[in-house]
Amino acid sequence: MSGNYRVAVRALCDFTAREGDLDHRFTPAPSAREGMQGHALVASRRGEDYLAELPLSGAFEGLTVTGRADGYDPVTNRLEEVKTHRGRLERMADNQRALHWAQVKVYGALLCAERGLEGITLTLVYLEIASGKETLLTQDATADELQAFFAEQCQRFLAWAQQEADHRQRRDDALCNLRFPHATFRPGQRELAEDVYKAASTGRCLLAQAPTGIGKTLATLFPMLSAMPRQQLDRIAFLTMKTPGRRLALNALITLSMRDKNEPLPLRVLELVAREKACEYPDRACHGESCPLAAGFYDRLPAARQAAVEQGWLDRQALREVALAHEVCPYYLGQELARWSDVIVGDVNHWFDSHALLHGLAQANEWRAGVLVDEAHNLVERARGMYSAELDQQRLNRLRRVAPSPIAGPLGRLARQWQTVIKAAGLEAAGDKGPPGYALLATLPDKLVGAVQQVGAAITDYLGEHPDQASLELQELLFEALAFCRLAEHFGEHSLCDLTRHGRGRAVLGLRNLIPADFLTARFNAAHSVVLFSATLNPAHYYRDLLGLPTTTAWREVASPFAARQLEVRIHRDISTRFRDRDASIEPLVAAMAQQYQRRPGHYLAFFSSFAYLEAALTRFREAHPDVPVFSQTRGMPEAQRDAFLARFSPGGKGIGFAVLGGAFAEGIDLPGDRLIGAFIATLGLPPFNAFNEALKARLSARFGQGDDYTYQIPGMIKVVQAAGRVIRSPEDEGVVVLIDDRFAQPKVRALLPSWWQLGNHSSC
């Protein structure tokens, strides 16, 4: 082939050695972290001459194949491929075993060629992750046999490799000449784009605070794409917190791609969606005997894959159309195409979660990746959730009543451990007739964790023998148990363990991550460059510390394009919204809102710290001002009602929408012009003062010396600034933000507000 194309051994064998049905009946594979630990365990059991993680490479007709063999013992001339698994090995599908043999044979061919060996012993080492037991499968092979096998795999891949090399050349040539799609940049947009390009060019991370309305999506995608050929980036990931962010990114990519209507940008764009949203048969099990799109999946995959890359643009709908045309699963076709797309748009979990798809592919294929994270102020809480887990006693009790005998025994032992932990925590009667009981546990309850591991192993073995009995409840308990045990293995100062009892048989044991940095640092280091951007990333040290960003991370605050005259900011210093003052605050708060509304009628949003506070203020406002239209967010508001709430903000209309700070209407919504002319914020957004947050404060104080700020002040003010940001959405907008609490006048609090605001005081309520 012309030029040279590089492929990892795993990717080569994935491409050439898979066949038959898609089959996800059995236990999920161990996590990436468990896999690495398993490999290290096997290596530690070998002799001192053993070479672990041995880099190998070789070429065939312009195709370069690279990878790292798990281990080689030069004394016995034995090459090992290590695979971790859970439960009984006999359950492993034949096509999976064939893939593993293909990998070790390719590594064998590369090793024989590199060292001039005439033959070698190949060994598959299967390590059961729970027990540590090894199963070894061995065969001897000559160098000639292995070279012939290597040549066969490469020949199967060569046509695809040629296509990929040609695509990459066309892509890079086009991106070298990429031009900004508009005649001019918006104010602040050029500065942001320049900083993103510098970060990509120097291989650094960037924290960029840039106001809403300057076009951050385009200002980050354009420079990262421009840097792609110059920095030899393999993939770009645009990661979002919510679905609307994906749509904005896709729209920006359409704008960039259509620079020339006669010759669109040769860029493969893939939208990754959650499995439950992509599944065509949610009532079917994910294997060939149940789902028609799983049957023969790998046999039909080559044609579907080819059609998909030829189409290039693969948002959710386009991907589904290709998949159904070839009778394959849309979700797993998307997972396959993540290997071959240039830009992947998806949720942040695809890079930062413990079993993140894109991070795993980047590691396996040694990608140079550029990562863009939108609305990055949410990443601290999202990451905490990724590395937290719960056990639900109520789920356990329900299953005990109907569990088959092989599972009943382990469930019974776990139930007894539950009672022991509840008793030790002093919560035996808590929650029965009063509020839930809560306790922070000084240490991890090791015996209970051991019982959870036994339950997971029992369910794993049972489902291996009886896959047709895989009820949703049984699978959920299995996933819950596995996730809990994985995190328990790495329990440390970054997390705590707590117990909440809602009543008899209704306790929840939680492993709560407090400091995501200890898990995320490796994720930032794995990318060539990561750009985190949002309208609220102040102060920078909060994100550097809690996310574990590299010390070389750059910080940029893009000057606001908005003039202070566009936004009137008023502080009511004579009102306290502290919990103890809530009842007394209602009357002056309602008066302040009515005064502003009468001064300038139009659409407003009013934000409160809780639904109880909201409802009290709403009731009094209706009584005092029945002529003013009001409408309210409600608890558990379904999507249709949320849409109806936003529809009330029509151009030229009037009224006040009551909402909860930090909820669905406090960020991520766009109400430009006179659809929204003001916001009342009757809270500092501080997290509640409780045992958990006080424990978090103590932990953050010990680690960073910033306990109160990192637990209460900064997270609260991030919510305030996000809510206020709903008012001014473009250089043409004008509006008012009314901050209702005396603490907003404190210098420490004011320092966390946007620098372009001009704060005024008002106390004549």
Side-chain angles (χ1 to χ4, degrees), residues 168-372:
R168 173 125 182 188
Q169 188 64 53
R170 290 195 307 274
R171 181 199 78 183
D172 287 354
D173 288 347
L175 292 178
C176 281
N177 298 307
L178 186 64
R179 297 290 180 268
F180 194 68
H182 302 304
T184 59
F185 287 87
R186 295 181 187 178
Q189 198 174 33
R190 179 186 291 277
E191 291 84 350
L192 177 57
E194 289 175 349
D195 283 318
V196 173
Y197 187 82
K198 289 175 185 175
S201 298
T202 56
R204 299 170 71 188
C205 293
L206 169 68
L207 273 171
Q209 177 171 284
T212 298
I214 70 165
K216 292 191 291 290
T217 305
L218 197 57
T220 52
L221 273 169
F222 168 67
M224 190 63 81
L225 285 168
S226 297
M228 201 172 193
R230 297 168 177 87
Q231 299 302 317
Q232 298 182 332
L233 298 183
D234 299 293
R235 303 291 185 273
I236 292 173
F238 190 101
L239 307 176
T240 69
M241 303 291 164
K242 299 177 182 177
T243 301
R246 293 207 309 266
R247 178 45 53 190
L248 288 172
L250 292 168
N251 289 342
L253 287 163
I254 289 173
T255 300
L256 285 163
S257 294
M258 298 310 294
R259 61 185 174 83
D260 184 344
K261 293 183 179 180
N262 297 321
E263 188 182 352
L265 200 63
L267 199 66
R268 294 182 189 158
V269 175
L270 171 69
E271 180 185 12
L272 287 175
V273 299
R275 180 173 173 175
E276 59 270 19
K277 293 183 178 180
C279 183
E280 292 289 320
Y281 296 96
D283 58 328
R284 308 282 185 91
C286 193
H287 58 83
E289 296 175 14
S290 177
C291 178
L293 299 182
F297 175 87
Y298 289 109
D299 300 326
R300 292 192 293 275
L301 176 60
R305 180 171 52 207
Q306 184 64 45
V309 298
E310 288 176 0
Q311 178 160 318
W313 181 264
L314 296 165
D315 62 7
R316 177 180 176 179
Q317 184 57 33
L319 179 67
R320 178 177 182 267
E321 290 172 0
V322 171
L324 296 185
H326 290 82
E327 300 180 83
V328 297
C329 171
Y331 174 75
Y332 284 103
L333 178 60
Q335 300 281 290
E336 168 67 18
L337 290 168
R339 305 168 188 272
W340 312 110
S341 298
D342 303 310
V343 182
I344 301 101
V345 178
D347 190 88
V348 289
N349 70 298
H350 290 304
W351 187 267
F352 293 103
D353 202 347
S354 59
H355 48 274
L357 170 69
L358 296 180
H359 176 262
L361 289 174
Q363 293 293 92
N365 297 288
E366 299 181 350
W367 286 347
R368 287 168 66 88
V371 179
L372 301 171

Side-chain angles (χ1 to χ4, degrees), residues 60 77 79 101-113 117-122 139-154:
F60 182 87
N77 193 30
L79 180 69
W101 276 120
Q103 287 178 273
V104 73
K105 287 179 179 179
V106 170
Y107 281 126
L110 298 177
L111 184 62
C112 287
L117 304 176
E118 295 182 358
I120 196 170
T121 298
L122 306 176
Q139 63 176 254
D140 293 324
T142 67
D144 290 342
E145 291 170 341
L146 294 174
Q147 182 59 34
F149 180 83
F150 175 66
E152 180 184 359
Q153 308 312 302
C154 291

Side-chain angles (χ1 to χ4, degrees), residues 603-605 645-650 665 668-678 725-730 733:
H603 276 312
Y604 291 81
L605 271 168
F645 181 94
L646 291 174
R648 295 285 296 267
F649 294 88
S650 56
F665 306 113
I669 62 168
D670 194 20
L671 300 170
D674 65 357
R675 292 182 64 191
L676 183 70
I677 65 166
R726 302 311 97 203
V727 178
I728 303 297
R729 309 297 292 176
S730 74
D733 286 355

Side-chain angles (χ1 to χ4, degrees), residues 28-59:
S31 68
R33 187 184 295 270
E34 288 175 319
M36 289 188 289
Q37 291 177 334
H39 282 65
L41 175 62
V42 170
S44 71
R45 293 171 173 174
R46 304 300 188 254
E48 61 181 22
D49 295 318
Y50 188 78
L51 302 174
E53 294 292 314
L54 181 64
L56 294 169
S57 65

